């Protein structure tokens, strides 16, 4: 067993531009969208598409969007991840650092900081802050951190915590963070679990059996080895477990997928479409929760709380509430401490 004094922890999140300036946003988007696990085309095709079309068009609009949600202390995602680091550190006897998949701080900076503080470091526990496995989220973060670990030839052991989409502590944290908004049944007509979307092609590509995902009726509920790497299955299970824990009636909640990029088919239903449809279905008081994001960021604070609310109200809705992400909820901090402590104990 490794001594606690020889262990360090890295909490790894998505990342953010260094500022809201167009050049910084361009730099961030280039790194993000050139990731072969985000847009899985050939390098040349990605370069032409991302560098020649997407980023030049998207960067100015994205910079405006970031400006609308930027905090005085900086990027909400970075600020909240630092707050999470501080909260976890308070309850852990081992040093805790943070890293981002894109932008700063890098995994290398986190590893080096841990080594600087403890030259006798024997093990680093990496927790990618993605509850669900997807090629473009959990996988790219974990593999990037591993790649840097190998390239720099660090001597410590790197242990990576797997996705925790169905872990009781995570489910309980989500449910309890939602509960204050559900005190009175008349306060809401519907709860929408909005997850970040992925292309249908990614779901099929990640199917290790080659014959299950989106090929078998009700594939998310038919047991299969494919589920270990299936984002669609995992987000479905998260929503069902949370809804069950909260006692939500089946007709008062649903799942949708946001942040679609490009023209190809992504997994459905689309969140943007549901915002327009729900008022027509008589669901005019809406609660939205985004369990795929553990920290509030552009996709929640602007895409959901601003754009989504405007779309829903404009379509005939009466009230719209986005439930904050877990951020530094005490039960979420407790869950992280438990996950990391279990690795240390082993």
């Amino acid at each position: 067993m490794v001594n606690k004094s020889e262990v360090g922890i890295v909490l790894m999140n998505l990342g953010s531009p260094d500022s809201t300036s167009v050049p910084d946003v361009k730099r961030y988007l280039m790194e993000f969208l050139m990731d072969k696990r985000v847009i899985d085309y050939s390098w040349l095709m990605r370069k032409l598409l991302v560098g020649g079309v997407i980023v030049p068009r998207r960067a100015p609009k994205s910079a405006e969007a970031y400006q609308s949600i930027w905090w005085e202390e900086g990027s909400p995602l970075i600020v909240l991840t630092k707050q999470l680091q501080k909260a976890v550190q308070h309850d852990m006897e081992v040093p805790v650092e943070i890293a981002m998949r894109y932008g700063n701080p890098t995994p290398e900076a986190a590893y080096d900081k841990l080594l600087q503080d403890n030259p006798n470091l024997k093990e680093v526990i990496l927790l990618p802050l993605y509850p669900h496995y997807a090629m473009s989220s959990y996988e790219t973060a974990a593999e990037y951190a591993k790649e840097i670990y190998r390239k720099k030839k660090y001597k410590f052991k790197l242990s990576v915590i797997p996705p925790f989409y169905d872990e009781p502590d995570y489910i309980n944290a989500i449910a309890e963070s939602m509960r204050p908004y559900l005190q009175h049944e008349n306060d809401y007509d519907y709860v929408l679990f909005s997850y970040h979307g992925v292309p249908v092609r990614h779901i099929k590509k990640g199917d290790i059996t080659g014959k299950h995902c989106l090929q078998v009726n009700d594939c998310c509920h038919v047991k299969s080895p494919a589920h270990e790497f299936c984002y669609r299955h995992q987000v479905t299970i998260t929503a069902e477990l949370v809804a069950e824990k909260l006692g939500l009636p089946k007709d008062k909640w649903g799942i949708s997928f946001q942040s679609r990029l490009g023209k190809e088919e992504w997994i459905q239903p689309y969140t943007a479409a549901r915002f327009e449809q729900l008022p027509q279905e008589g669901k005019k008081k809406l609660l939205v929760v985004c369990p795929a994001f553990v920290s509030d960021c552009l996709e929640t604070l602007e895409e959901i709380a601003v754009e989504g609310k405007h779309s829903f109200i404009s379509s005939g809705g009466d009230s719209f509430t986005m439930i904050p992400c877990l951020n530094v909820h005490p039960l979420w901090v407790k869950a992280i401490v438990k996950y990391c402590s279990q690795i240390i104990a082993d």
Side-chain angles (χ1 to χ4, degrees):
M1 183 187 300
V2 177
N3 190 296
K4 283 185 179 181
S5 64
E6 301 171 334
V7 178
I9 295 169
V10 175
L11 307 177
M12 190 170 184
N13 216 330
L14 174 71
S16 176
D18 290 331
S19 79
T20 61
S21 71
V22 173
D24 277 347
V25 173
K26 277 186 176 179
R27 192 177 304 111
Y28 174 77
L29 290 177
M30 283 297 297
E31 183 182 3
F32 175 36
L33 297 175
M34 280 300 293
D35 184 345
K36 65 184 179 181
R37 290 182 171 87
V38 173
I39 298 180
D40 54 332
Y41 299 156
S42 68
W43 182 88
L44 180 59
M45 180 64 75
R46 286 202 311 279
K47 188 67 175 177
L48 292 172
L49 180 62
V50 174
V53 180
I54 298 177
V55 169
R57 292 179 181 176
R58 193 179 181 102
K61 293 181 180 178
S62 292
E64 288 183 13
Y66 276 110
Q67 288 166 13
S68 73
I69 58 102
W70 210 257
W71 293 348
E72 186 176 342
E73 310 97 306
S75 159
L77 181 141
I78 302 294
V79 172
L80 288 166
T81 307
K82 288 179 178 178
Q83 290 177 0
L84 181 64
Q85 171 195 15
K86 184 177 180 181
V88 172
Q89 183 67 82
H90 181 271
D91 292 343
M92 296 290 294
E93 297 177 13
V94 303
V96 181
E97 294 295 330
I98 65 170
M100 301 293 153
R101 172 58 183 92
Y102 312 105
N104 296 302
T106 65
E108 181 178 350
Y111 295 154
D112 289 347
K113 181 64 166 62
L114 289 173
L115 274 171
Q116 177 185 322
D117 294 342
N118 185 2
N120 296 318
L121 190 68
K122 293 290 193 298
E123 181 176 10
V124 169
I125 299 168
L126 176 73
L127 175 57
L129 295 172
Y130 302 90
H132 314 90
Y133 193 102
M135 183 170 71
S136 56
S137 59
Y138 179 93
E139 182 181 301
T140 188
E143 292 305 318
Y144 180 56
K146 291 176 187 177
E147 179 184 351
I148 290 175
Y149 169 75
R150 290 191 295 267
K151 282 184 177 179
K152 296 286 291 185
K153 297 181 179 179
Y154 291 108
K155 301 301 182 183
F156 55 77
K157 175 185 176 183
L158 181 64
S159 300
V160 184
I161 295 178
F164 43 88
Y165 68 96
D166 60 350
E167 286 288 330
D169 296 283
Y170 164 69
I171 297 300
N172 187 51
I174 290 284
E176 293 309 313
S177 74
M178 294 172 62
R179 198 178 295 279
Y181 299 86
L182 303 165
Q183 294 301 311
H184 305 288
E185 193 169 334
N186 292 333
D187 288 344
Y188 68 99
D189 296 327
Y190 201 73
V191 178
L192 187 65
F193 291 79
S194 179
Y195 294 96
H196 198 292
V198 297
V200 167
R201 178 170 45 82
H202 281 201
I203 299 296
K204 293 180 177 179
K205 186 175 182 178
D207 181 355
I208 58 174
T209 71
K211 58 185 179 181
H212 183 80
C213 296
L214 302 176
Q215 298 182 66
V216 173
N217 287 335
D218 196 21
C219 56
C220 286
H221 296 102
V222 176
K223 191 173 181 180
S224 170
H227 290 168
E228 182 179 356
F229 305 104
C230 181
Y231 180 74
R232 186 169 176 264
H233 162 77
Q234 293 184 9
V235 300
T236 298
I237 296 304
T238 293
E240 290 177 348
L241 290 173
V242 172
E244 180 182 8
K245 192 168 190 63
L246 290 169
L248 295 177
K250 290 185 178 180
D251 62 344
K252 295 200 70 168
W253 69 273
I255 298 171
S256 63
F257 300 93
Q258 64 185 86
S259 310
R260 182 185 178 200
L261 175 66
K263 295 183 179 180
E264 70 176 306
E265 183 184 6
W266 284 40
I267 52 177
Q268 298 189 43
Y270 299 138
T271 296
R274 293 301 290 144
F275 285 156
E276 296 177 357
Q277 295 162 357
L278 285 166
Q280 313 311 314
E281 298 170 8
K283 300 174 176 67
K284 299 198 173 190
K285 291 182 286 187
L286 183 64
L287 299 177
V288 184
V289 63
C290 303
F293 304 96
V294 298
S295 304
D296 276 307
C297 54
L298 186 71
E299 285 81 0
T300 62
L301 298 174
E302 198 272 339
E303 185 179 352
I304 297 298
V306 177
E307 289 188 8
K309 180 177 182 178
H310 176 75
S311 175
F312 180 76
I313 298 299
S314 298
S315 299
D318 292 334
S319 67
F320 180 105
T321 301
M322 188 200 79
I323 299 172
C325 292
L326 288 173
N327 296 326
V328 289
H329 192 286
L331 291 177
W332 170 225
V333 174
K334 186 177 179 180
I336 291 176
V337 170
K338 180 177 178 179
Y339 298 154
C340 295
S341 298
Q342 287 173 338
I343 300 292
I344 295 172
D346 291 342

